[in-house]
């Protein structure tokens, strides 16, 4: 008998409910609270700015979700987003090339990072966490070299004393500032990527096989699954998603800030982790990750409206993440796993 | 050694009278609505080996866990030497003199620690060993513990990572750890499932010695031959209650009938099938580091049974043909064409399937449903353009469930929540459903009840008669005789015997197995 303990007393039933819906309840509850106490909160413009704010975290969180599905974790995701920021800035400012070229350069950069991660993990068999931790430092360090540690902005003086020839193009800045109808473009990109990720993970053979690799790699291999391919694929997808997140970020800040992206790692990991327990899914999934990112967005927007200083943001974020993780780990009677429960 | 119970003043064989080391009185245990134990009343007499039989799902494991303090919320009463005790934790069980050696070794030894540290693990847990400990100081105690079991382990073995021990020695380690506590009651859950014949003999001699010393042993097993060799009493657990109790001389037929109830395992007489066309041809294949090349033809239309003990190279052979691990040397052909799978996916593509030896570690995906587990190797067939077709998936899951009579709530049930026999039906059934050319079954009956064993055996033979090449690997001669048309004996990487089942007796097989390579 391997049946799990599941006595259905009232208490445990409440506990199960809290684990399944508590997170959503908290999100909705906070939303209602802010909407009532801050009239400006529930206006469409502030809602959209909140979603816009959540988009980078959500997209990076999707990348982490893919790597968690295969039983790993991509720690280089923030650094990859930072690399995207700098690649975009360099393409346009140093080389005076077009916005679309910058987008291509950024995606190629992400592809290279993803392939390198896959190489280290699958071919050289370095544990996921360590390989991507190493990559994180390599990327963060290496990107400082061509810019002498300086942030890239238009009009900056280059090594040879000349002034940088280019600047951020208007079409590139539209990535963050554009709209489709009333909806900001980053929000559209976020929703599209969430839907696409959900589709790939739960409706395609790729997604199923990635879950299989995460659930038991040896059993997957002995069922004829090319474990290495799907394991590596998750890291390539993760790096590409990180690059898209980086594109939105650099379009928002309008310069190649050397520190951009690095702070988003923990948030991205946290929202993906939180997402595993939403609705009692017990596995990493795209909609859960989105919901996690939204909660962080609601709290930060709400508190900012209530007059919270910017330097309180990290504390607030951290607390939100810890509370959310209490739902997943402490209250959940199901052992949280990265693998699906059907 | 005759199991004479009259010596040493031991009590007469009597399940309820005489001095009892431990009594279970009306033990109940439920998981949600699922009542697994429905009032088990059982006495374990001092100086007796009581064999506990039961099909998978009968509640054996749950009963053992109650006895080892894992389920303090059980109903009923446990009495040790007549005094009611609370089995509130494994430590409490140990305090009351009840020691359990569980079936799953990997849950009980700690890889990364040395053999010595694992031997004194109980004392480390109880804090009797200094937190900062040196291996040197542990060694004398570890040696002492190992000696209780006549384990001749040198210091170089004791200081090695326990991971290097191998399954059989790990089992002995756990037993030594239990025995050093001088238990009054020893519970053994299928202790021989991973042992070789020599090790089984050693274990049995030890159990008999313990019995003569007055230990009450509860011995849980699927193997009737072990019961006949070892037990003083038999109790049969069926559907959460004791359905029969026997004393020597045993009536095994009766025991099997009480185990299985009305659905008695059918004795289908083996109608020997002889294949003709060669499916897999192995030439110059080397299985082990120090073994000579062997040639072997596996034929369509028959079940080939390969008998071999641990270390005989049978798993290496199975995994080599499946492409899971590379062969050390040699070539293979499949249907006369060169066949050298570098990856399992190539074998699966060619219609060569393997059910691996260790179900939990090598076949099961935690939490995966029957449907998902069934379709995993053949996702492409339930998808179009990479998109999964749910209806097709479900149809496959349902087909595997129904073809094999898997006892489950439906194709959506998680496979790891099924009983062992039903888990095995799923992992065997998913390959059979796809119509294999070559089907390799490595120890397919391990941890499987007799009913499921009969079903799997029957289906494997049916596949062969439909033309498939079925190869069964086992260390149990009886199992192989039950299923195979042709029997091969593998000893240390060499083929010692190759004959049709009807042409060879048990004696010849056993003799060839004991031949030194």
């Amino acid at each position: 008998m391997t049946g799990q303990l599941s006595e259905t007393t009232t208490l445990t039933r409440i506990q199960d409910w809290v684990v399944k819906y508590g997170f959503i309840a908290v999100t909705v509850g906070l939303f209602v609270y802010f909407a009532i106490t801050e009239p400006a909160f529930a206006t469409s413009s502030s809602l959209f700015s909140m979603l816009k704010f959540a988009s980078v975290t959500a997209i990076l969180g999707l990348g982490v979700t893919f790597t968690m599905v295969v039983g790993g974790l991509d720690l280089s995701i923030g650094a990859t987003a930072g690399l995207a920021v700098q690649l975009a800035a360099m393409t346009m400012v140093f080389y005076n090339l077009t916005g679309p070229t910058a987008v291509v350069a950024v995606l190629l950069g992400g592809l290279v990072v993803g392939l390198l991660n896959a190489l280290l993990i699958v071919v050289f068999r370095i544990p996921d966490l360590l390989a991507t931790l190493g990559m994180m430092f390599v990327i963060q360090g290496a990107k400082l070299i061509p810019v002498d540690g300086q942030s890239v902005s238009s009009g900056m003086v280059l090594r040879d004393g000349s002034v940088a020839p280019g600047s951020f193009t208007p079409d590139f800045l539209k990535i963050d500032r554009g709209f489709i109808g009333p909806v900001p473009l980053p929000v559209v990109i976020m929703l599209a990527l969430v839907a696409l990720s959900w589709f790939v993970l739960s409706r395609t053979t790729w997604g199923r096989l990635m879950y299989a690799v995460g659930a038991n790699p040896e059993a997957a291999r002995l069922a004829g699954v090319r474990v290495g391919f799907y394991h590596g694929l998750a890291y390539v997808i993760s790096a590409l998603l990180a690059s898209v997140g980086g594109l939105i970020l650099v379009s928002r800040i309008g310069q190649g800030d050397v520190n951009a992206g690095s702070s988003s790692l923990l948030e991205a990991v946290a929202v993906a982790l939180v997402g595993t327990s939403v609705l009692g899914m017990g596995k990493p999934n795209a909609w859960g990750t989105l919901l996690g990112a939204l909660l962080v967005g609601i709290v930060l927007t709400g508190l900012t409206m209530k007059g919270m200083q910017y330097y309180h943001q990290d504390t607030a974020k951290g607390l939100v993440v810890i509370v959310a993780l209490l739902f997943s780990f402490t209250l959940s009677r199901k052992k949280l796993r990265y693998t699906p429960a059907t | 050694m005759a199991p004479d119970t009259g010596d040493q003043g031991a009590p007469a064989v009597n399940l309820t009278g005489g001095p009892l080391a431990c009594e279970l009185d009306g033990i109940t245990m439920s998981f949600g609505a699922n009542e697994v134990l429905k009032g088990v009343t059982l006495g374990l007499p001092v100086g007796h080996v009581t064999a506990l039989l039961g099909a998978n799902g009968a509640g054996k494991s749950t009963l053992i866990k109650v006895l080892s303090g894992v389920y303090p919320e059980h109903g009923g009463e446990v009495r040790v030497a007549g005094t009611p005790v609370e089995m509130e934790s494994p430590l409490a069980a140990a305090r009351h003199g009840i020691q359990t050696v569980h079936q799953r070794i990997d849950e009980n030894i700690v890889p990364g620690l040395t053999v010595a540290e694992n031997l004194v693990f109980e004392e480390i847990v109880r804090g009797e060993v200094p937190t900062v400990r040196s291996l040197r100081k542990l060694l004398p105690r570890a040696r002492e513990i190992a000696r209780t079991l006549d384990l001749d382990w040198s210091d170089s073995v004791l200081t090695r990572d326990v991971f290097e021990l191998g399954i059989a020695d790990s089992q002995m380690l756990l037993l030594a750890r239990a025995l050093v506590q001088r238990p009054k009651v020893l519970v053994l859950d299928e202790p021989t499932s991973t042992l070789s014949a020599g090790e089984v003999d050693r274990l049995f001699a030890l159990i008999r010695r313990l019995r003569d010393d007055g230990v009450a042993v509860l011995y849980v097993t699927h193997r009737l031959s072990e019961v006949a060799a070892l037990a003083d009493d038999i109790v049969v657990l069926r559907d959460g209650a004791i359905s029969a109790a026997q004393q020597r001389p045993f009536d095994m037929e009766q025991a099997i009938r009480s185990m299985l109830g009305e659905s008695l395992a059918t004795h289908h007489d083996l109608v020997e099938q002889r294949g003709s066309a060669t499916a897999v041809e192995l030439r110059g294949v080397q299985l082990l580091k120090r073994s000579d090349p062997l040639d072997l033809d596996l034929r369509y239309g028959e079940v080939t049974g390969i008998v071999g003990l641990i270390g005989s190279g049978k798993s290496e052979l199975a995994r080599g043909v499946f492409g899971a691990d590379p062969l050390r040397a040699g070539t293979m052909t499949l249907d006369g064409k060169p066949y050298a799978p570098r990856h399992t996916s190539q074998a699966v593509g060619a219609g060569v399937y393997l059910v691996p030896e260790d179900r939990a570690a090598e076949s099961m995906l935690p939490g995966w449903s029957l449907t998902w587990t069934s379709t995993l190797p053949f996702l492409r067939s339930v998808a179009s353009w990479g998109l999964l077709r749910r209806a097709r998936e479900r149809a496959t899951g349902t087909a595997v469930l129904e073809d094999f009579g898997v006892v489950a709530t439906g194709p959506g049930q998680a496979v790891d929540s099924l009983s062992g026999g039903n888990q095995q039906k799923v992992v065997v059934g998913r390959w059979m459903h796809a119509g294999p050319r070559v089907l390799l079954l490595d120890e397919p009956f391990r941890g499987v009840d007799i009913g499921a064993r009969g079903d799997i055996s029957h289906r494997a033979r049916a596949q062969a008669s439909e033309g498939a090449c079925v190869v069964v690997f086992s260390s149990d001669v009886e199992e192989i005789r039950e299923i195979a048309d042709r029997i091969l004996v593998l000893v240390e990487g060499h083929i010692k015997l190759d004959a049709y089942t009807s042409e060879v007796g048990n004696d010849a097989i056993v003799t060839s197995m004991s031949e030194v390579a």
Side-chain angles (χ1 to χ4, degrees):
Chain A
M1 292 303 304
T2 50
Q4 69 208 51
L5 279 169
S6 55
E7 272 181 279
T8 44
T9 62
T10 319
L11 191 71
T12 54
R13 226 176 285 157
I14 292 172
Q15 197 179 342
D16 283 348
W17 190 92
V18 169
V19 169
K20 269 190 175 176
Y21 305 109
F23 185 71
I24 296 174
V26 169
T27 311
V28 173
L30 274 174
F31 184 85
V32 171
Y33 169 73
F34 286 129
I36 292 170
T37 56
E38 295 291 330
F41 181 82
T43 61
S44 70
S45 73
S46 97
L47 285 184
F48 279 136
S49 83
M50 185 193 80
L51 285 171
K52 229 174 106 170
F53 188 84
S55 62
V56 175
T57 306
I59 292 168
L60 263 57
L62 286 177
V64 174
T65 304
F66 272 95
T67 56
M68 274 168 49
V69 165
V70 296
L73 193 62
D74 187 352
L75 293 182
S76 68
I77 195 141
T80 309
L83 178 70
V85 167
Q86 189 176 322
L87 281 176
M90 283 173 67
T91 311
M92 289 180 291
V93 176
F94 282 12
Y95 302 107
N96 198 12
L97 295 170
T98 62
T101 317
V103 172
V104 171
V106 164
L107 293 179
L108 282 178
L111 186 66
V112 170
V113 171
L115 289 174
L116 281 176
N117 274 333
L119 180 77
L120 293 178
I121 293 164
V122 177
V123 181
F124 296 141
R125 295 190 302 277
I126 301 176
D128 302 43
L129 279 175
L130 301 177
T132 54
L133 185 68
M135 266 314 262
M136 176 181 104
F137 281 103
V138 168
I139 297 168
Q140 278 177 353
K143 70 177 188 175
L144 296 180
I145 297 169
V147 295
D148 300 330
Q150 303 293 308
S151 291
V152 179
S153 52
S154 43
M156 74 184 287
V157 179
L158 301 179
R159 272 180 194 165
D160 57 9
S162 65
V163 171
S167 62
F168 277 68
T169 60
D171 57 350
F172 188 85
L173 293 173
K174 279 249 162 57
I175 294 175
D176 189 59
R177 296 165 202 183
F179 285 88
I180 290 185
V183 189
L185 197 51
V187 177
V188 175
I189 296 172
M190 169 182 77
L191 292 176
L193 288 176
V194 169
L196 185 66
S197 301
W198 164 79
F199 186 79
V200 168
L201 283 175
S202 58
R203 288 285 182 275
T204 68
T205 55
W206 276 17
R208 178 67 59 78
L209 293 172
M210 282 194 255
Y211 276 120
V213 170
N216 182 346
E218 181 62 4
R221 184 173 85 94
L222 293 178
V225 177
R226 290 197 162 276
V227 171
F229 174 78
Y230 293 99
H231 198 160
L233 179 65
Y235 282 89
V236 172
I237 292 175
S238 172
L240 286 174
L241 284 166
S243 302
V244 175
L247 277 176
I248 294 174
L249 198 59
V250 67
S251 165
R252 183 173 304 163
I253 56 187
Q255 62 159 329
D257 186 340
V258 282
N259 294 318
S262 45
S263 65
S264 22
L265 166 66
L266 184 63
E267 246 170 277
V269 171
V271 298
L273 257 180
V274 163
T276 58
S277 63
V278 170
L279 289 170
M281 296 278 269
K283 58 175 177 176
N285 67 93
W287 294 111
T289 302
L290 174 66
L291 212 62
L294 288 186
L295 177 73
V296 174
I298 287 172
V299 170
L300 290 185
T301 311
L303 290 180
T304 308
M305 284 187 175
K306 286 195 162 298
M308 182 184 70
Q309 296 297 326
Y310 72 93
Y311 51 80
H312 290 163
Q313 279 204 0
D314 278 353
T315 314
K317 255 190 259 178
L319 288 176
V320 170
V321 165
I322 288 174
V323 168
L325 293 179
L326 283 175
F327 282 113
S328 337
F329 289 97
T330 316
L331 289 177
S332 180
R333 293 185 302 136
K334 235 195 253 176
K335 203 175 115 199
L336 185 74
R337 52 176 175 239
Y338 292 168
T339 52
T342 306
Chain B
M1 192 190 298
D4 181 3
T5 54
D7 58 5
Q8 293 199 2
V13 178
N14 185 339
L15 292 174
T16 48
L20 295 173
C22 175
E23 294 157 85
L24 304 174
D25 194 352
I27 301 294
T28 57
M29 182 72 203
S30 301
F31 301 97
N34 185 10
E35 197 182 7
V36 177
L37 296 180
K38 301 169 181 165
V40 175
T41 299
L42 170 65
L44 299 176
V46 169
H48 264 68
V49 176
T50 306
L52 177 65
L53 294 174
N56 273 320
K60 292 188 310 259
S61 307
T62 310
L63 186 65
I64 292 166
K65 284 182 179 161
V66 168
L67 258 178
S68 53
V70 177
Y71 294 141
E73 64 273 40
H74 70 84
E77 192 173 72
V78 178
R79 288 190 292 273
V80 172
T83 318
V85 293
E86 290 292 327
M87 305 296 285
E88 72 232 9
S89 70
L91 274 180
R95 209 166 50 236
H96 299 309
I98 302 175
Q99 283 286 335
T100 305
V101 178
H102 291 284
Q103 190 181 354
R104 291 297 306 272
I105 291 168
D106 48 351
E107 290 170 5
N108 297 287
I109 66 168
V110 187
L113 294 187
T114 59
V115 173
E117 283 167 311
N118 270 285
L119 277 168
V120 297
F121 193 66
E122 307 260 323
E123 285 151 55
I124 295 177
V125 170
R126 284 203 304 263
E128 291 166 13
V129 174
T131 314
V132 180
R133 54 187 187 270
S134 79
L135 207 47
R136 289 268 148 250
K137 282 185 194 148
L138 290 182
L139 278 179
R141 179 67 180 143
R143 259 182 243 129
E144 195 181 321
I145 296 174
R147 262 202 305 276
T148 56
L149 211 56
D150 303 327
L151 294 176
D152 225 357
W153 287 346
S154 66
D155 284 3
S156 84
V157 172
L158 289 172
T159 51
R160 230 178 269 166
D161 189 316
V162 72
F163 174 72
E164 294 171 35
L165 265 193
I167 295 181
D169 281 329
S170 303
Q171 180 89 48
M172 297 311 249
L173 185 156
L174 288 176
L175 199 58
R177 208 161 85 184
L179 290 182
V180 79
Q181 309 294 325
R182 307 220 157 272
K184 294 190 198 71
V185 178
L186 180 66
V187 182
L188 298 168
D189 188 3
E190 295 203 40
T192 57
S193 56
T194 53
L195 300 186
S196 70
E199 288 156 342
V200 169
D201 288 344
R202 216 164 88 203
L203 177 70
F204 281 14
L206 178 83
I207 293 173
R208 291 193 184 102
R209 207 174 78 208
L210 289 168
R211 177 191 60 197
D212 296 343
D213 289 346
V215 176
V217 180
L218 182 64
Y219 189 93
V220 183
T221 185
H222 283 307
R223 297 187 181 175
L224 297 177
S225 59
E226 295 181 357
V227 174
L230 195 64
D232 301 311
D233 312 317
I234 296 179
V235 286
V236 181
L237 192 64
R238 190 163 86 84
D239 215 6
I242 301 291
S243 63
Q246 284 190 29
Q247 300 154 17
R248 280 189 178 271
F250 301 136
D251 180 352
M252 290 298 182
E253 294 268 342
Q254 183 57 46
I256 292 175
R257 220 165 284 135
S258 3
M259 245 167 96
L260 299 180
E262 299 312 307
S263 65
L264 180 62
T266 44
H267 283 280
H268 49 83
D269 289 307
L270 190 100
V271 181
E272 205 167 273
Q273 312 169 45
R274 299 204 176 184
S276 47
T278 300
V280 182
E281 190 182 274
L282 297 98
R283 287 294 173 266
V285 164
Q286 187 189 351
L287 296 176
L288 303 172
K289 209 184 241 170
R290 270 185 290 275
S291 66
D292 299 328
L294 62 80
D295 294 346
L296 173 62
D297 291 350
L298 299 169
R299 294 189 282 266
Y300 286 121
E302 63 185 20
V303 177
T304 306
I306 298 187
V307 189
L309 301 173
I310 291 172
S312 63
K314 69 181 163 60
S315 288
E316 285 80 357
L317 177 59
R319 294 173 73 91
V321 174
F322 186 58
D325 297 325
L327 292 167
R328 287 177 183 276
T331 57
M332 289 186 279
T333 64
L334 176 64
D335 299 334
K337 295 188 222 36
Y339 170 70
R342 280 188 318 262
H343 189 273
T344 54
S345 60
Q346 289 167 346
V348 173
V352 178
Y353 306 149
L354 167 74
V355 174
E357 185 178 11
D358 186 340
R359 186 171 58 238
E362 299 175 326
S363 293
M364 306 283 294
L365 298 117
W368 274 45
S369 69
L370 207 153
T371 297
W372 282 28
T373 307
S374 302
T375 57
L376 178 63
F378 309 105
L379 269 191
R380 228 172 266 161
S381 71
V382 294
S384 37
W385 303 99
L387 300 187
L388 294 165
R389 299 288 176 197
R390 290 182 146 188
R392 264 191 254 166
E393 274 215 82
R394 217 180 150 72
T396 303
T398 309
V400 168
L401 185 149
E402 284 171 359
D403 281 5
F404 256 87
V406 177
V407 182
T409 54
Q413 191 179 351
V415 179
D416 49 11
S417 68
L418 301 174
S419 71
N422 283 306
Q423 290 180 2
Q424 190 73 345
K425 282 182 178 180
V426 175
V427 299
V428 174
R430 68 174 180 187
W431 296 114
M432 287 192 177
H433 177 73
R437 300 180 75 75
V438 179
L439 181 61
L440 309 156
L441 304 169
D442 195 358
E443 296 286 359
F445 305 125
R446 188 171 285 175
V448 167
D449 62 279
I450 290 183
R453 174 169 152 181
D455 287 347
I456 291 170
S457 191
H458 178 71
R459 295 302 307 261
R461 294 198 53 75
Q463 290 268 335
S465 64
E466 284 162 23
C469 165
V470 179
V471 189
V472 181
F473 301 80
S474 173
S475 50
D476 188 319
V477 179
E478 280 304 317
E479 276 177 14
I480 288 289
R481 285 199 82 91
E482 212 175 278
I483 189 172
D485 300 303
R486 173 189 176 203
I487 295 184
L488 287 154
V489 173
L490 202 60
V491 178
E492 294 177 25
H494 303 265
I495 293 173
K496 288 287 171 191
L497 180 96
D498 180 357
Y500 279 98
T501 308
S502 58
E503 295 165 352
V504 60
N506 272 350
D507 293 346
I509 296 175
V510 172
T511 309
S512 69
M513 284 174 83
S514 55
E515 273 174 40
V516 182

